[in-house]
Amino acid sequence: MNTQGFELRGATCVVTGGASGIGAALIAEVVRRGAAAVAVVDIDGQRAADAATKLGSAGVDAAGFACDVSDVASVGHMAQAVCERFGTPTFVAANAGVFPPAGPAWELDPADVAWTLAVNVTGVWLTTSAFAKLMVASDRPSWILGTGSEHALGVPHTGSAIYTASKHAVVGLLDVMRNELPSHVGVSVMCPGLVATNLWKGAADRPDQFGGPTRISRRAGVIMTHGMDPALVAERAIDGVQAGQFLVATHRHVQQYADERYAEVERAFAALGADDGSEQAYDVASVAAVVNAEDPRRTAG
Ligand SMILES: NC(=O)c1ccc[n+]([C@@H]2O[C@H](COP(=O)([O-])OP(=O)(O)OC[C@H]3O[C@@H](n4cnc5c(N)ncnc54)[C@H](O)[C@@H]3O)[C@@H](O)[C@H]2O)c1
């Protein structure tokens, strides 16, 4: 686990969902902090290429890559193309995500559920895994940043149960990954609240394999215009990366929800009564250590 933080100056960066919103703002922020090269990755290859051309005109070494992060072959091709163009990246933001049409959990469209989990969860796993392998092998200080959400910290946003579940999964996935990676590869996950982006419009571009375009909510669009400027979110996210934080908060007000969630956790344990230490025997880390020590295949290396 790395808690030292990461210096963006000279970094080779990959940002998924880089053609819009928080991804585009992350790119602007890493460039501002001296990144050496940027791969703009998006399912919309044209917008990714246009964004890269614009960066190129401003003197940034950039290229656009069309990639559907939910597709294993597409991520494999993208990772290979990025490495051929720039070498192994040292900073990867697994940021692409979608927000499905809202509704009570029991009435959600199965195609929306599949789409949301494929992009927001499998997509983050495919992206981070593809580059983590290369980062581990490279021995250079590197960093992975995921985009979670305030919903993973306890904000009970009714109507978005699967989106909320997907963002808990992003935090869970990266929490484990940071403990598995060697110390030269760090991990952060930002958990933004409302941000003024095009996220609400994404349903109009739901790919054919998930049923094609579906309804967008104008109400969600109006709500989202009240969100934080993506540039401030990106600035706070990169501050968190540079400081070596795992969890990166971007919206101060979210703390009240996180506190409520934590108070609920405390009440759950308080309900068990005083701890006399006897149940430490069930601690999975200690049990696994004992079982592994007794397993000749593990002790043999
Ligand atoms: N906007 C908010 O209020 C908010 C709050 C918390 C977290 N987030 C998260 O921030 C991230 C970025 O979203 P945003 O708000 O900037 O929205 P956005 O719609 O402006 O940007 C998302 C980008 O991801 C791309 N994309 C969608 N599906 C993809 C796929 N399968 N493969 C590759 N690219 C794909 C889109 O083309 C788009 O350019 C998402 O993970 C989202 O869940 C957003």
Side-chain angles (χ1 to χ4, degrees), residues 147-154 163-164 167-168 170-171 189-193:
T147 302
S149 156
E150 62 182 353
H151 302 322
L153 298 179
Y163 180 80
T164 299
K167 294 301 184 178
H168 275 80
V170 170
V171 173
V189 58
M190 66 163 113
C191 291

Side-chain angles (χ1 to χ4, degrees), residues 42-43 66-80 126:
D42 206 282
I43 195 168
C67 171
D68 177 353
V69 297
S70 72
D71 183 274
V72 62
S74 183
V75 174
H77 291 139
M78 178 272 291
Q80 193 179 345
L126 286 173

Side-chain angles (χ1 to χ4, degrees), residues 16-24 41-44 47 67-71 94-99 115 118-120 124 147-151 163 167 190-202 205 207 224 227 230 251:
T16 69
S20 176
I22 296 173
V41 177
D42 206 282
I43 195 168
D44 188 330
R47 279 195 299 125
C67 171
D68 177 353
V69 297
S70 72
D71 183 274
N95 165 77
V98 294
F99 188 80
W115 175 50
V119 179
N120 294 9
V124 171
T147 302
S149 156
E150 62 182 353
H151 302 322
Y163 180 80
K167 294 301 184 178
M190 66 163 113
C191 291
L194 196 62
V195 189
T197 72
N198 294 317
L199 189 63
W200 62 282
K201 286 188 198 159
D205 296 323
M224 232 165 241
H251 292 56

Side-chain angles (χ1 to χ4, degrees), residues 153-298:
L153 298 179
V155 174
H157 188 49
T158 53
S160 66
I162 285 299
Y163 180 80
T164 299
S166 76
K167 294 301 184 178
H168 275 80
V170 170
V171 173
L173 168 72
L174 296 178
D175 190 19
V176 174
M177 202 182 241
R178 69 169 160 151
N179 285 287
E180 295 172 337
L181 284 165
S183 61
H184 72 277
V185 187
V187 179
S188 298
V189 58
M190 66 163 113
C191 291
L194 196 62
V195 189
T197 72
N198 294 317
L199 189 63
W200 62 282
K201 286 188 198 159
D205 296 323
R206 191 177 67 171
D208 290 344
Q209 72 266 32
F210 297 107
T214 183
R215 73 186 158 90
I216 58 171
S217 157
R218 299 268 158 213
R219 197 177 131 266
V222 173
I223 289 172
M224 232 165 241
T225 59
H226 293 273
M228 186 179 272
D229 182 343
L232 180 56
V233 174
E235 185 186 331
R236 291 179 171 177
I238 300 298
D239 280 347
V241 166
Q242 290 203 309
Q245 287 168 238
F246 171 63
L247 275 182
V248 180
T250 61
H251 292 56
R252 289 192 173 87
H253 76 279
V254 173
Q255 186 171 356
Q256 64 196 294
Y257 295 103
D259 286 349
E260 273 171 36
R261 170 59 54 90
Y262 192 68
E264 199 166 31
V265 171
E266 286 196 320
R267 283 197 299 278
F269 285 105
L272 294 176
D275 181 6
D276 65 4
S278 62
E279 294 179 21
Q280 197 61 32
Y282 306 124
D283 176 56
V284 69
S286 325
V287 174
V290 171
V291 171
N292 290 342
E294 286 167 354
D295 181 345
R297 285 165 304 178
R298 304 287 294 221

Side-chain angles (χ1 to χ4, degrees), residues 57-107:
S57 333
V60 181
D61 186 10
F65 298 85
C67 171
D68 177 353
V69 297
S70 72
D71 183 274
V72 62
S74 183
V75 174
H77 291 139
M78 178 272 291
Q80 193 179 345
V82 166
C83 291
E84 279 166 10
R85 174 70 171 76
F86 295 116
T88 298
T90 54
F91 176 78
V92 171
N95 165 77
V98 294
F99 188 80
W106 58 93
E107 282 177 10

